[in-house]
Amino acid sequence: MQASATGLDATGRMMMATDAAGRLLWCTPMAELAIAGFGAGGLAILRMGGAALFFQLLRPLLRLPVLPWREQPFVLLCAILGISANQLLFLHGLARTSATHAALLTTTIPVQTVVLAVLLGRERLDLLRAGGLAVALAGVLVLITSKDPTGAASWVGDLMIFANAGVYAAYLVLSRPLLARFPPLAVLPWLFTWGLLTALPISGLPPTDRATLPQALAAAGVVLGPTIGSYWLNLYALRTVPASVVRSEEHTSELQSHSDLVCRLLLEKKK
């Protein structure tokens, strides 16, 4: 397949679009029901545990290659960034700030990806890019320090969402070499297993005594859609980016940022 002018071929764009659609499930009553039934930390554990179980069961059925133990320390690092820290910061931050602030702050993923790429020596920082980064970071500072008219936002929640974008940007940058060596379905079981093991000491087991049947079904939908579906397709999208595209992580996060903005509009319209 020919790569488009923006760097992704048709397969990569299709996977990114499907991933964005899965992320939009956060805008539906399903996500609200799940958080109400299990809490932010409990839902994060359910997401990681459900995905870890799914991918670990799928691995032997598809006869996927086994990751060597020498790769596990690096997989653990990626799991902390992209799974446990990412999900805990996002869900706890979302519970402490407004939908508008959360959606706007998640669009800083491409910005933070550029910063990390420059720090790692993968990108050059020219004057135009430095100016763009300064404007973006100034906007984040204004957003965090401004007073939300709805009273739903807080600087603590905003900082958690901003940190969530940062750790996910680091995950996007660092996971690409791993995906160059192994297929995504061989990596995902261990990403979620390590993510679950590192998150459990922080969040503990999710409460199950207060959840209703609709809330349990909603949590199952969140596990299948924004978790299993989105992470799976996201890794495939990263893998299909041509090697000639230097800023492939930015292309991957671009559509996710647009989906977050649409999510903001839907959430605000419901209120």
Side-chain angles (χ1 to χ4, degrees), residues 16-109:
M16 285 169 59
T18 309
D19 170 51
R23 292 166 72 88
L24 285 175
L25 288 173
W26 285 111
C27 312
T28 67
M30 180 181 68
E32 295 177 355
L33 269 176
I35 294 176
F38 297 96
L43 181 58
I45 294 298
L46 287 176
R47 293 181 70 192
M48 297 177 218
L53 178 63
F54 175 84
F55 287 117
Q56 288 288 5
L57 292 176
L58 192 64
R59 183 172 57 88
L61 294 177
L62 298 180
R63 298 180 180 178
L64 296 167
V66 178
L67 288 183
W69 279 105
R70 66 176 180 273
E71 301 283 353
Q72 293 296 346
F74 186 69
V75 177
L76 172 60
L77 173 62
C78 290
I80 292 173
L81 294 172
I83 306 295
S84 53
N86 171 44
Q87 293 192 25
L88 289 173
L89 284 169
F90 176 74
L91 289 170
H92 282 287
L94 194 61
R96 291 167 173 79
T97 192
S98 67
T100 300
H101 281 210
L104 287 173
L105 287 168
T106 53
T107 64
T108 65
I109 294 175

Side-chain angles (χ1 to χ4, degrees), residues 146-161:
S146 64
K147 185 176 181 180
D148 179 30
T150 66
S154 71
W155 67 268
V156 174
D158 287 347
L159 285 177
M160 293 179 80
I161 296 293

